[in-house]
Amino acid sequence: MPSQESDIAPSSRILELLSDAPQGASIGEISSALHLNRNLVAKYLSILHMQGRVELRSYGKVKLYKITTRIPFHALSLVTRGCVIGLDQLFYVKEVLGYCREMTGSDTKELLSKPFSEIFHPAFTDPVVKKYIQEYRNGAVAPPLYKEISWRKRGFDLTVVPCIFDDGTQGLALILAEQAHNAPSHKKEKNQIRTYQYLTHETPNFILHLSAEGDVLYLNESYATYCNARVSDLLHTNGIPLATHDDFIRIKEGVLKNWSLNEPTISDIQVVMDDGSVRWQTWVFHPLREQGILTELHGYGRDITDERERENLYLRLQKEFNQDVQEKTSELREITAQLRKEIDERKSLELALKRSEEKYRNLTEITTDIIWETDLFGTIVYINPKATSILGYSPEELVGKKIWNKINSDYRSHIEHYFSGATCSSFEQIAFPMTRSDGSEVWIEFSGIPLFNDDHQFSGYRGIGRDITKSKLIEEHNQRLRAIIENTPDIVRISDIHGDLLYMNKAGRKILKIPETEDITRYNNASFMTSDDWTKILEGRSIAIKDGIWQGLTRLIATDGTIIPVSQVIIAHKKGNGEEMLFSTVARDISEITRFRQELEDASIYSRNLIEVNLDPLVTIGPDGKIQDVNHATEMVTGYARDKLIGTDFCAYFKDPKKAREGYERVFSQGYVRDYPLEIIHKDGHSTPVLYNASVYQDKNGNVQGVFAAARDITEIVKFQKKLEESNNYTRNLIEASLDPLVTIGKDGKIQDVNHATEMVTGYARENLIGTDFCAYFKDPKKAREGYERVFSQGYVRDYPLEIIHKDGHSTPVLYNASVYMDKNGNIQGVFAAARDITALLESEFTLAESQDYYLKILDEFPNPIWRSGPDAKCNYFNKAWLKFTGRTREEEDGDGWATGVHPDDLERCISIYLSSFDKKIPFYIQYRLRHHDGTYHRIADYGAPLYDLKGVFTGYIGSCYDLDGKEIL
């Protein structure tokens, strides 16, 4: 190696000097100490700074360089088994290593390029961490931060340290490592090592792991290729491949002297290649210690031969330059005298320049634009008074501040990079939103040119700022209008006086079937309509030229021949300031409106027909009580024609007009009435009792327009109610005549009703039994309670043995059969229970058979239709009332024959409910329409319940029916 100081690379000499100056040194101090040109020192410092080997700190106008204390980011993965997140100088995530999802809950892709402030994790939101980063942002030099944090009930050790990325830029590294009691498994460690080996094999730089004795433990493919060898051939060799053993000893000694992991050992070495050429390498070695003892060296290196050659070239050029300087010095002395003469001339020029500057300043004071000037750091050194009227700040408030301070934070980076040192180019018409002193926003368009000092070094920018807020608003308004036109569902087109198209929006192309790629100017308006419609459009254009606008209905023809009815609006306007006319046309497809109108007309006719065929009298009444409309049934019940009824007083057609008026007035006040009784008077004098149901009807805005009323003739219902009352009395007599004690029990276990047999078996009167506890009349009350509770849970019990206690003390053994009974909606209301005296029953089975025949004879004479089915679900009995109603014989109805009389629309539902209940052996209630012997269908209410014999064996169902239309008692 060359030993003379003059041949040592300037970068190495600079690093050696800075290593002895922990507080740092300026360019001038380094230049004086090493006897090097200032520009050459500045160049090498710039290269070392980009490589991350030196740091730059500014203290006012003083810039100091010192040896960096930052750790290479890629090396941090070697000292942790957790996750390492790298932040660049703008505090955006630049790189991520390790178990990202396990440590942060996010994938690497989710974190990359994300700003620090938008990551919601304790490592980023902890106040101490945020304070450390803020201090780093402000230029403070602080030691690494160590802190314990908790996330998702897991403990982590967090370390924040300055670092250097592979591209030489600086930043911060956040190291997350799970604490020992919940550290990753050995399998995950293997996966991490495998991932590290893959990544290091892919990097073009050199990765080398050495033992403390110098044995090669690991190297990547890039370094093996550089050495013109295979990885396996170099493993377990001693020392740095291609380098001397002395180089390794020197590096190891440097590592042993360095006890801080934050300051890696950096060394440049020479190696001899296979072809005999000598090349330079630079290495960064990181020690790995266990309990303070060096066990491994992890190196990160690259070839710097080209850089060395450039440095040597610069030295030779510098030497030649110095020789030239000496030769020119004598010439300069001769020129000095001439320069002194020129100084006097320059003074006169300076005076003229001063006057020119005053003129320039006067211009900047009165210009309508902002004139500004900054130093190379972006600090404003001058700004004219126009900033006050535009931004609301005085020049004094802005001078000394960064030029981007008042720029919206989302746009600052657009101008900050011009001051980053990476570029010093001019910029024109860059627009930013800025915040005025009153908080409002104003758009300023900046243009600037770089300034250079006498040494041709970049010293700042000078430029102008123009208020473009109004033009920006106009531009945004035009963009919104264009977006509206492009996204409207209507056809928008612009054409010239000849009808040739100049523009058509997306909706127009879609409706008229014109491809997006087709040139719209190839089409003429006339090609999309018939000659008659085009003539109508030409007439409309003439009107639009005269009045400015025309509107009418026409038809358009799509390219596939589809005819589209449209409503068109034509607006005439001139092109620019010329006389040429243009026409803007907006056409709306009214196909759906046309179809809707036809459907509305059809629906109106259909609705009128439905009203007319209704058998109930229907009428609409206005707020003044006058009839607005009636149907045919109203004409029949009053005896007056429709045209005679409309417009007359609604109340005039009732036996009690006052009560009729009160009825429809109640509708207006309450919104409706239900089953309001009135009597309609026919013009021949006879009356019809009716029940009115009425409600208000409203327009689309919810305003009440009148009353719609429907009257139901209740003549037959009144007759039916009377007959139904007689039927109920008859049924009650049958229940009372039963020799078995019968009782109904509520959900609360209280007795709701009993028959005379129950009074006899208990010794208590009916009124004394109702409302008392059912269980209180049994020898075993607990068993009695379990019995009726079982009915509620299972739906029934069969032959449940109990003993009823008479009030005189004697008991009667009985078998209870009970089932739940329900309302018409299927809701359980209570339990119906029948007790049979077992003693008498067992003694007279023959008598029981005769008794069953007797009950069938009673049921045969029962006024309501009654049916019975066997265990096969087939009907085997119908009483006389059923056969009279249907007009059919018992043989025709037996089995499934009865189903032929059910209305076809109700048959499936009726059979489904019947068979479902039959399978579950529970009572049921059905409403369906059954054919009367006169051929009409009546609405029938059918109640069915399962039948069991004395041994509890299911024998089928029995059911009772009621005619809900009330035309006759069944």
Side-chain angles (χ1 to χ4, degrees):
M1 293 184 184
S3 60
Q4 297 182 3
E5 184 175 340
S6 59
D7 293 334
I8 298 176
S11 59
S12 300
R13 296 172 62 194
I14 292 172
L15 289 174
E16 183 177 358
L17 174 65
L18 291 178
S19 64
D20 296 328
Q23 300 302 323
S26 65
I27 294 177
E29 292 172 344
I30 298 172
S31 176
S32 299
L34 299 179
H35 305 290
L36 294 174
N37 181 270
R38 285 175 58 90
N39 290 335
L40 185 63
V41 172
K43 178 183 74 67
Y44 278 103
L45 284 173
S46 177
I47 294 173
L48 292 171
H49 182 259
M50 292 178 63
Q51 293 174 348
R53 300 172 70 180
V54 298
E55 294 180 356
L56 171 62
R57 294 292 179 181
S58 298
Y59 302 92
K61 294 184 178 180
V62 179
K63 298 180 180 177
L64 296 180
Y65 291 84
K66 64 179 183 178
I67 294 293
T68 184
T69 58
R70 300 172 184 271
I71 302 174
F73 181 80
H74 76 277
L76 292 173
S77 64
L78 305 177
V79 298
T80 180
R81 295 180 178 177
C83 172
V84 185
I85 300 173
L87 303 178
D88 62 18
Q89 292 178 331
L90 296 178
F91 301 102
Y92 282 71
V93 176
K94 183 179 180 71
E95 291 188 39
V96 178
L97 299 174
Y99 299 100
C100 177
R101 174 164 286 281
E102 290 186 17
M103 299 295 181
T104 66
S106 302
D107 291 327
T108 300
K109 292 182 179 179
E110 297 174 6
L111 291 177
L112 286 178
S113 301
K114 202 169 188 180
F116 171 87
S117 58
E118 293 182 10
I119 302 176
F120 300 99
H121 186 277
F124 297 85
T125 59
D126 186 89
V128 176
V129 177
K130 293 173 72 174
K131 181 180 179 182
Y132 181 92
I133 292 177
Q134 184 61 40
E135 290 175 353
Y136 175 85
R137 185 197 303 267
N138 295 334
V141 179
L145 171 66
Y146 301 97
K147 183 169 178 55
E148 293 184 358
I149 63 171
S150 176
W151 180 68
R152 294 185 178 176
K153 299 181 180 181
R154 296 161 62 192
F156 294 86
D157 292 322
L158 170 65
T159 305
V160 185
V161 296
C163 70
I164 298 174
F165 296 99
D166 292 345
D167 60 2
T169 59
Q170 302 178 4
L172 285 177
L174 282 76
I175 306 171
L176 276 171
E178 195 165 10
Q179 292 175 348
H181 61 276
N182 49 17
S185 65
H186 183 65
K187 181 178 180 181
K188 292 182 178 178
E189 293 179 9
K190 288 185 175 180
N191 292 335
Q192 184 179 14
I193 293 172
R194 191 178 298 112
T195 302
Y196 167 76
Q197 291 176 345
Y198 171 77
L199 293 175
T200 55
H201 271 275
E202 293 297 318
T203 182
N205 294 321
F206 310 149
I207 306 297
L208 179 65
H209 293 184
L210 301 174
S211 69
E213 293 73 29
D215 293 334
V216 177
L217 303 178
Y218 172 79
L219 75 161
N220 65 345
E221 192 67 33
S222 296
Y223 193 33
T225 303
Y226 178 86
C227 297
N228 196 23
R230 294 179 301 179
V231 172
S232 59
D233 295 335
L234 297 177
L235 287 176
H236 307 301
T237 60
N238 190 267
I240 302 173
L242 302 180
T244 65
H245 184 69
D246 292 338
D247 286 333
F248 169 74
I249 296 301
R250 178 169 51 81
I251 292 172
K252 182 177 179 181
E253 289 175 354
V255 170
L256 292 174
K257 292 178 181 179
N258 180 16
W259 285 91
S260 174
L261 286 177
N262 295 328
E263 297 180 359
T265 300
I266 303 172
S267 179
D268 293 345
I269 63 174
Q270 279 186 315
V271 296
V272 179
M273 306 300 290
D274 291 344
D275 59 0
S277 61
V278 178
R279 300 191 68 83
W280 281 90
Q281 297 177 351
T282 183
W283 286 92
V284 179
F285 280 93
H286 303 268
L288 185 64
R289 294 183 173 89
E290 293 183 6
Q291 298 180 355
I293 299 174
L294 179 66
T295 58
E296 290 184 22
L297 289 173
H298 292 180
Y300 180 84
R302 59 190 177 86
D303 187 293
I304 59 170
T305 304
D306 294 337
E307 295 176 13
R308 283 276 185 164
E309 291 176 355
R310 285 194 294 269
E311 289 175 1
N312 293 332
L313 175 62
Y314 287 139
L315 286 175
R316 288 196 300 273
L317 292 174
Q318 181 64 31
K319 185 176 181 180
E320 295 172 1
F321 174 77
N322 290 336
Q323 291 176 354
D324 292 338
V325 169
Q326 292 175 1
E327 294 173 359
K328 298 296 182 181
T329 299
S330 58
E331 296 178 7
L332 290 174
R333 289 172 182 168
E334 296 175 359
I335 298 172
T336 301
Q338 181 67 26
L339 288 176
R340 288 177 180 175
K341 181 181 178 180
E342 293 177 356
I343 287 173
D344 295 333
E345 296 176 355
R346 179 173 295 182
K347 287 182 179 179
S348 61
L349 291 174
E350 287 177 352
L351 181 61
L353 179 61
K354 183 177 181 181
R355 293 174 180 172
S356 176
E357 287 178 348
E358 289 179 356
K359 293 180 181 179
Y360 167 74
R361 186 170 296 277
N362 291 335
L363 288 175
T364 61
E365 299 294 330
I366 64 174
T367 183
T368 58
D369 295 331
I370 299 173
I371 307 296
W372 56 269
E373 185 175 331
T374 70
D375 62 13
L376 72 167
F377 302 109
T379 303
I380 298 173
V381 297
Y382 170 77
I383 192 165
N384 68 336
K386 191 61 181 177
T388 303
S389 61
I390 294 177
L391 298 176
Y393 300 99
S394 66
E396 292 75 14
E397 292 178 290
L398 295 174
V399 171
K401 305 292 194 306
K402 298 296 185 184
I403 191 171
W404 51 78
N405 273 9
K406 305 302 179 184
I407 295 177
N408 186 297
S409 59
D410 295 335
Y411 294 82
R412 288 181 183 174
S413 60
H414 292 60
I415 194 169
E416 282 179 342
H417 83 279
Y418 285 99
F419 297 88
S420 63
T423 179
C424 56
S425 60
S426 60
F427 53 89
E428 294 182 0
Q429 299 178 339
I430 304 177
F432 307 104
M434 299 187 71
T435 304
R436 289 174 48 85
S437 60
D438 59 3
S440 61
E441 195 172 73
V442 60
W443 279 84
I444 304 297
E445 183 180 81
F446 280 92
S447 296
I449 59 173
L451 302 178
F452 299 91
N453 59 19
D454 295 339
D455 295 330
H456 302 290
Q457 293 179 332
F458 172 66
S459 61
Y461 275 95
R462 180 185 296 130
I464 63 172
R466 179 164 297 167
D467 184 357
I468 61 167
T469 304
K470 291 183 179 179
S471 60
K472 195 72 175 178
L473 292 175
I474 293 172
E475 180 183 351
E476 292 176 355
H477 177 70
N478 290 337
Q479 288 177 351
R480 286 195 293 269
L481 287 178
R482 285 194 294 270
I484 291 172
I485 291 173
E486 277 301 316
N487 293 284
T488 182
D490 298 332
I491 304 172
V492 180
R493 59 192 191 276
I494 301 175
S495 59
D496 60 17
I497 192 69
H498 306 294
D500 293 329
L501 288 177
L502 304 176
Y503 167 80
M504 181 178 291
N505 67 343
K506 293 180 181 178
R509 287 177 175 271
K510 182 178 180 181
I511 294 173
L512 296 178
K513 308 295 190 299
I514 302 174
E516 290 290 335
T517 56
E518 192 77 35
D519 182 7
I520 201 64
T521 59
R522 296 179 52 226
Y523 293 90
N524 187 282
N525 268 327
S527 61
F528 297 106
M529 55 191 77
T530 63
S531 58
D532 292 341
D533 285 325
W534 178 239
T535 302
K536 189 174 181 180
I537 290 298
L538 292 177
E539 294 173 355
R541 283 187 166 200
S542 300
I543 296 173
I545 294 173
K546 179 182 177 183
D547 300 335
I549 190 171
W550 174 84
Q551 183 173 359
L553 300 177
T554 62
R555 295 173 299 171
L556 294 177
I557 303 174
T559 56
D560 62 355
T562 304
I563 298 177
I564 307 159
V566 294
S567 172
Q568 296 206 62
V569 175
I570 300 177
I571 300 174
H573 49 87
K574 293 182 179 180
K575 182 178 181 181
N577 297 323
E579 296 298 325
E580 183 180 352
M581 295 297 299
L582 295 179
F583 297 91
S584 297
T585 306
V586 180
R588 175 163 294 178
D589 185 353
I590 59 172
S591 303
E592 290 298 318
I593 297 176
T594 304
R595 183 182 60 79
F596 174 74
R597 286 175 177 170
Q598 183 61 44
E599 291 178 353
L600 185 62
E601 182 179 348
D602 296 342
S604 178
I605 295 172
Y606 178 73
S607 299
R608 185 68 205 181
N609 290 335
L610 288 179
I611 292 172
E612 287 299 329
V613 300
N614 198 306
L615 298 178
D616 291 333
L618 306 178
V619 60
T620 57
I621 311 161
D624 56 357
K626 303 297 183 181
I627 295 175
Q628 294 178 332
D629 199 2
V630 298
N631 67 342
H632 180 68
T634 305
E635 293 177 307
M636 298 299 295
V637 77
T638 61
Y640 295 98
R642 180 171 178 266
D643 54 347
K644 299 294 183 182
L645 291 168
I646 294 175
T648 61
D649 189 358
F650 170 74
C651 306
Y653 301 95
F654 294 92
K655 188 174 182 179
D656 188 346
K658 181 179 178 181
K659 185 176 181 181
R661 187 177 304 280
E662 292 174 352
Y664 82 74
E665 288 178 348
R666 186 186 301 177
V667 180
F668 279 112
S669 62
Q670 298 181 358
Y672 67 93
V673 295
R674 295 288 183 268
D675 296 335
Y676 192 80
L678 288 172
E679 287 189 54
I680 300 176
I681 304 299
H682 194 274
K683 71 176 183 180
D684 64 6
H686 80 269
S687 63
T688 303
V690 295
L691 286 179
Y692 260 102
N693 290 285
S695 62
V696 295
Y697 64 91
Q698 302 164 318
D699 61 14
K700 64 179 181 180
N701 296 320
N703 301 316
V704 175
Q705 299 297 298
V707 170
F708 177 78
R712 174 61 60 89
D713 184 350
I714 61 172
T715 305
E716 295 298 326
I717 294 178
V718 171
K719 293 179 182 179
F720 170 75
Q721 287 176 340
K722 183 177 180 181
K723 293 180 179 179
L724 182 60
E725 183 179 355
E726 294 174 354
S727 176
N728 287 339
N729 291 334
Y730 180 74
T731 303
R732 181 68 199 185
N733 290 335
L734 286 178
I735 293 173
E736 289 297 333
S738 175
L739 298 178
D740 290 334
L742 305 178
V743 62
T744 57
I745 310 162
K747 294 181 179 179
D748 56 357
K750 304 296 183 182
I751 295 174
Q752 294 178 334
D753 199 2
V754 299
N755 67 345
H756 179 67
T758 305
E759 294 178 305
M760 296 300 295
V761 78
T762 61
Y764 295 97
R766 181 171 178 267
E767 58 271 16
N768 294 331
L769 290 170
I770 292 174
T772 62
D773 189 358
F774 170 73
C775 305
Y777 302 96
F778 295 91
K779 187 174 183 180
D780 189 346
K782 180 179 179 181
K783 185 177 181 181
R785 186 177 306 279
E786 292 174 352
Y788 81 75
E789 288 178 347
R790 186 185 301 176
V791 180
F792 278 115
S793 62
Q794 298 181 357
Y796 65 93
V797 295
R798 294 289 178 266
D799 295 335
Y800 194 79
L802 288 172
E803 286 189 55
I804 301 175
I805 304 298
H806 194 274
K807 72 176 181 178
D808 64 6
H810 78 269
S811 63
T812 303
V814 296
L815 285 178
Y816 260 103
N817 289 285
S819 63
V820 294
Y821 65 91
M822 297 178 285
D823 59 15
K824 64 180 181 180
N825 296 322
N827 299 317
I828 295 175
Q829 301 297 299
V831 171
F832 177 78
R836 176 61 56 86
D837 185 342
I838 297 176
T839 304
L841 187 65
L842 295 175
E843 292 176 351
S844 53
E845 289 184 353
F846 179 76
T847 305
L848 177 62
E850 291 182 347
S851 176
Q852 289 176 344
D853 293 340
Y854 172 74
Y855 285 119
L856 286 177
K857 291 178 181 178
I858 293 176
L859 294 176
D860 214 31
E861 299 299 324
F862 202 71
N864 290 351
I866 294 176
W867 56 269
R868 185 185 67 189
S869 64
D872 58 353
K874 305 292 185 180
C875 290
N876 54 27
Y877 171 80
F878 297 89
N879 71 344
K880 293 179 180 179
W882 176 286
L883 299 176
K884 177 182 177 183
F885 178 85
T886 60
R888 290 160 57 89
T889 64
R890 184 168 296 170
E891 289 74 19
E892 291 174 328
E893 296 292 89
D894 278 346
D896 295 329
W898 62 276
T900 59
V902 178
H903 193 283
D905 292 343
D906 298 340
L907 180 60
E908 183 178 352
R909 176 178 56 84
C910 178
I911 296 298
S912 176
I913 294 175
Y914 169 65
L915 292 178
S916 175
S917 302
F918 194 96
D919 292 338
K920 298 176 181 177
K921 297 180 176 59
I922 59 173
F924 65 83
Y925 169 81
I926 314 175
Q927 287 191 19
Y928 56 92
R929 289 168 287 180
L930 187 65
R931 187 170 57 239
H932 192 260
H933 62 77
D934 63 3
T936 63
Y937 284 91
H938 290 203
R939 290 186 303 116
I940 299 300
D942 193 343
Y943 295 84
L947 286 176
Y948 297 86
D949 61 18
L950 290 178
K951 297 181 180 180
V953 177
F954 174 72
T955 61
Y957 264 69
I958 189 167
S960 177
C961 302
Y962 298 91
D963 185 357
L964 297 179
D965 286 338
K967 295 185 177 179
E968 70 178 85
I969 293 181
L970 304 177

